[in-house]
Amino acid sequence: MLYRPMPKTGDELSILGFGCMRLPMNGGEIDQDRAIAQIRNAIDNGINYLDTAWAYHHGASEPLLSKALQGGYRDRVRIATKLPTWLVHDRADMDLYLNTQLERLGTDRIDYYLVHSLDGHSWDRISALGVGEFLDQAMRDGRIVNPGFSYHGLPEDFARIVDAHPWVFCQIQYNYLDQEFQAGTAGLKYAASKGLGVVVMEPLRGGNLGLPTPPPAVAALWDQAPAKRSPVEWALRWVWNHPEVTVVLSGMNEEAHIAQNLAIAEKALPGSLTGEELDLVDRVRTTYRELMRVGCTGCAYCMPCPAGVQIPKCFDFYNKMHMFGNEQEAKFMYAAFTSGLTSDGNTGFASQCVACGECVEKCPQGIAIPDMLAQVVADMEGAGFEERLAGVRQYLKRELK
Ligand code: SF4
Ligand code: SF4
């Protein structure tokens, strides 16, 4: 295992972190024996960063991790978990969740504590509720060691959140396709320039970049590489090639995946891919982009829409469905993120577009936004849409329990 230091503290973290969001299941519940064995095996092989959250597995991930870390494992690792921002209504809620998490995890301190899933809007809200003072207080009394945040917002809101608090680290989505999405490369470099460690999530874009059978045009490119690597290895090595990256999280729930990722992590020094190899990854990226239905980069210059349409989100899930073929997942995620059920309650469906045209001239990609939104409506809001919305409500109700 290779290790990289957290810039502000020098804490040596394994470059591969174990994500506890997608643990192995059996009969609708976490397969406890298997999950515990996997986590302990990962630690025995050098992983020392374990990432969970209040919401993962409807609240069952943190207690499972507590069990896995009994028998001397707790002292060998750093635990990362997250404040469920969207459930917090006042300052007292923050202590309530943190204290419950300490109990769930069977520990007296959270080594890396993140304000979960921020964007510009949720940061403004939780900041006004006093999250900065909460983090400072929890650090003073020892419940939190290092404060951080995870980010799912627009590129332009990232830097102001980095600058708003003395964070030690942040967590961003990053992979070779998402270089301009959310924080992106600019955000990675900005955070590093401010001395923050960067934990990367979604290095395989929800597993899609690691599919053993990629689209034929992509497979043909990988076949040209002088070094034969799996799609998973190309995707992970590309992220680790960046010296600004501290830890890469992988949600591993198959023993074979853990072994594969551990082996890849052995070789992943920063700057270890050749120029030729980086060019090849760029060509794969271009090919995936050609498979996209809409050339939207997620820049959000078209926003806000006076009718409330979440234009970049609409195009993101629409593209995902056509690029990777995970139709059910893409449609469910579209329903979850445009319904407002997971955020501020305001809907942003493509079908809200009244074709006023206000967004069109703001788009640097020259996208005929109203026309493309009509296609999104046809594909994503057709048959079964009401049932998917009901499914999202049901999912969130379980999470709130
Ligand atoms: S054309 Fe549609 S998406 Fe664009 S600003 Fe008008 S209502 Fe919003
Ligand atoms: S539609 Fe255009 S302006 Fe809007 S996010 Fe996409 S690329 Fe940017």
Side-chain angles (χ1 to χ4, degrees), residues 5-83:
M6 188 54 68
K8 284 190 181 175
T9 64
D11 192 18
E12 291 280 339
L13 301 176
S14 54
I15 63 167
L16 178 62
F18 196 106
C20 299
M21 186 170 75
R22 300 184 185 113
L23 296 165
M25 304 289 285
N26 187 4
E29 307 284 334
I30 297 173
D31 183 337
Q32 301 232 353
D33 291 346
R34 193 171 165 210
I36 289 169
Q38 288 181 352
I39 291 168
R40 291 181 177 174
N41 172 56
I43 297 168
D44 290 337
N45 279 285
I47 286 181
N48 69 2
Y49 189 91
L50 299 157
D51 174 81
T52 182
W54 174 271
Y56 293 172
H57 287 279
H58 310 303
S61 174
E62 289 175 331
L64 182 282
L65 185 55
S66 169
K67 280 190 192 166
L69 296 182
Q70 287 168 13
Y73 282 90
R74 170 67 184 101
D75 292 336
R76 296 165 60 183
V77 300
R78 320 292 186 269
I79 294 175
T81 193
K82 311 183 186 80
L83 179 72

Side-chain angles (χ1 to χ4, degrees), residues 36-252:
I36 289 169
Q38 288 181 352
I39 291 168
R40 291 181 177 174
N41 172 56
I43 297 168
D44 290 337
N45 279 285
I47 286 181
N48 69 2
Y49 189 91
L50 299 157
D51 174 81
T52 182
W54 174 271
Y56 293 172
H57 287 279
H58 310 303
S61 174
E62 289 175 331
L64 182 282
L65 185 55
S66 169
K67 280 190 192 166
L69 296 182
Q70 287 168 13
Y73 282 90
R74 170 67 184 101
D75 292 336
R76 296 165 60 183
V77 300
R78 320 292 186 269
I79 294 175
T81 193
K82 311 183 186 80
L83 179 72
T85 316
W86 58 97
L87 300 180
V88 169
H89 300 296
D90 54 33
R91 170 69 180 77
D93 279 350
M94 300 175 199
D95 284 305
L96 182 73
Y97 283 109
L98 172 57
N99 293 340
T100 309
Q101 288 174 299
L102 289 164
E103 277 174 37
R104 278 181 172 189
L105 284 158
T107 186
D108 60 356
R109 68 182 188 287
I110 308 293
D111 305 292
Y112 288 88
Y113 196 67
L114 300 97
V115 185
H116 197 170
S117 193
L118 289 182
D119 58 19
H121 170 81
S122 57
W123 169 250
D124 290 341
R125 191 183 74 82
I126 198 106
S127 178
L129 292 177
V131 78
E133 189 275 322
F134 157 73
L135 292 169
D136 290 344
Q137 176 60 47
M139 286 176 70
R140 276 196 300 276
D141 61 36
R143 289 175 295 163
I144 293 175
V145 183
N146 298 294
F149 67 95
S150 65
Y151 192 69
H152 286 287
L154 299 171
E156 64 266 29
D157 287 323
F158 183 73
R160 74 181 175 93
I161 299 176
V162 167
D163 292 339
H165 188 81
W167 310 105
V168 170
F169 72 114
C170 61
Q171 183 171 314
I172 62 170
Q173 170 166 336
Y174 196 52
N175 56 64
Y176 65 75
L177 264 192
D178 290 326
Q179 297 179 50
E180 290 148 7
F181 181 65
Q182 296 183 0
T185 304
L188 169 72
K189 292 194 181 293
Y190 187 78
S193 77
K194 297 288 175 170
L196 273 66
V198 180
V199 176
V200 166
M201 59 185 152
E202 301 290 2
L204 304 178
R205 224 185 201 240
N208 288 311
L209 297 181
L211 295 174
T213 318
V218 170
L221 283 171
W222 290 141
D223 284 346
Q224 292 172 18
K228 296 302 166 209
R229 297 185 174 119
S230 65
V232 173
E233 179 165 3
W234 280 113
L236 292 177
R237 288 289 298 272
W238 184 88
V239 178
W240 275 316
N241 205 53
H242 295 78
E244 299 89 354
V245 169
T246 314
V247 172
V248 174
L249 294 175
S250 182
M252 304 173 278

Side-chain angles (χ1 to χ4, degrees), residues 302-311 349-350 352-360 362 369-371 373:
C302 53
M303 296 288 281
C305 156
V309 179
Q310 290 286 343
I311 302 168
F349 301 130
Q352 289 169 226
C353 174
V354 294
C356 71
E358 200 177 291
C359 56
V360 177
K362 297 186 202 158
I369 294 174
D371 294 347
L373 286 172

